[in-house]
Amino acid sequence: MKKAISLIICAVMVFCAMGPAISAFADGSCNCGFSPVIYVGPLGCTSIVRDAGTENEQQLWKIDTKFLLSNLNAVLPRISRGILFHNTDLLGDALVEFVNACFGDLALDSEGRSKANVTTPQLNVPEGSRHGPDSDYYFDYDFRLDPYEHAERLHEFIGRVKALTGHNSVKLKCSSMGGVVLSAYLDKYGYDGIDVIICRCCPLLGTAVAGEAFCGKIELNSTSLTRYGEDAIPFLETGFADDFIEGTLYALLDTLKGAGVIDGLCVLGDRLIKDVGDRVFEEALIPVFGTLPGIWSFVPEEYFDEAVSFMKLPEEGGLHDKVYAYRNAMANIQSNLRAAKDDGVKVCIICGYNVQRTPLVTLWKSTSDGTVDTKYASLGATCSNVKEPLDDSYLASLENREYLSPDNMIDASTCALPECTWFVRDWLHCNGNAGIDELFSLVMTSDEVSVKSFDKFPQFLEADDDADMIYPVTASPDALTRLKERPSYLNFIRYIFSLIKRIFQSGN
Ligand SMILES: [Zn+2]
């Protein structure tokens, strides 16, 4: 009898130790009701390493600070002499040498293949069967390569995750460049076996910063530089007296702008670009970044032809074919997502707006999350310039205001999927936010997913980084209202500077 009892206890213990398998049927399928999540990471989701495993091992991406500084040290005296004595040859040589020393080995060959000694040794393979709302499988990739190569790997990855978990479908949560991988995937394999698609800040139709850079349009502008700094300040995590440091930095930036220091820096920068920009493009940027199909995937359609010529893309060969192949994925993403949605896949596209974008491009007024333009991430929203409402004439001509943001900055009716595209004002590119995570949980667990499905999360939201939350957008915020709603030192400083600006403007 004792033997029988201990056998039963043993059997129970073994069964319990199997964990998630408890919810499995005898045929290995899982009945937990929550298909596994695959997180398709952003650019730089895995390290790119030269001579991995040898004593010369060097991480090339993300570039390691020591490596960057040692390369900079080697050229700094020549850069200083070049600037000081206005010796453009010396300066050009030094800058070209610096860019090539840091990034040269990232370049791909004419077939779009990496150098044999430059690899991604830490790529994930799915392991274990643990899945659920708080657990995902991380798909990473070498951002330089052809997105269709990642799509093939993702296809195998999905198959493996299904086998491990006993589910016949998965959820794809794509962050930033993850949307490029998704675009190639949907174009090649369709949406079979996918039940949820989330696109977080994805450059689905590209980003202007890549389009303009690949056409050689670089411009420094003091307003955009100052605003870029100001918009990034609330996201600083200094770990100590955050609010005070943020407020002080904001005041400092605005003061420097007012005193003309930032304009002076821009003049210097513009002179530098004029003097040596062509050479740095010709001898360093084009030979490196022009060979990366991954970076080409960020070029919006309207820049593409000019970029092909400016970046001297070869007229044939593997690299040429790979760069051109992705144009199909980008051209088809709207119809591919629409088809998936119409067939019952739950889709959530979410993007930031009203953040000052990278201050190096001529299109600096394009509203964005700081990196990806809202119009490209949202698949076609009509957007105002950053920090401004849409034109009065546009607003007056709008017959249907169902998809117009309460601050009059975004008209989502022109999006490919207006009913499942969310917008978050003042949300910096891919910044973590508990409110947005809560929205994702709802998207993953609800039967109906649209901008009308969740009272707490309507189409237009506003990010509050300090509270780590998002709120429905009400109207355009003035500094005093923001201070009253969320009293903080940073908002107090913002209010004071808005007053100073108003007095200054009325005096002019
Ligand atoms: Zn399950």
Side-chain angles (χ1 to χ4, degrees), residues 20 23 29-36 129 131-132 165-167:
S23 55
S29 66
C30 179
N31 66 347
C32 76
F34 190 90
S35 64
S129 60
H131 60 282
T165 59
H167 281 267

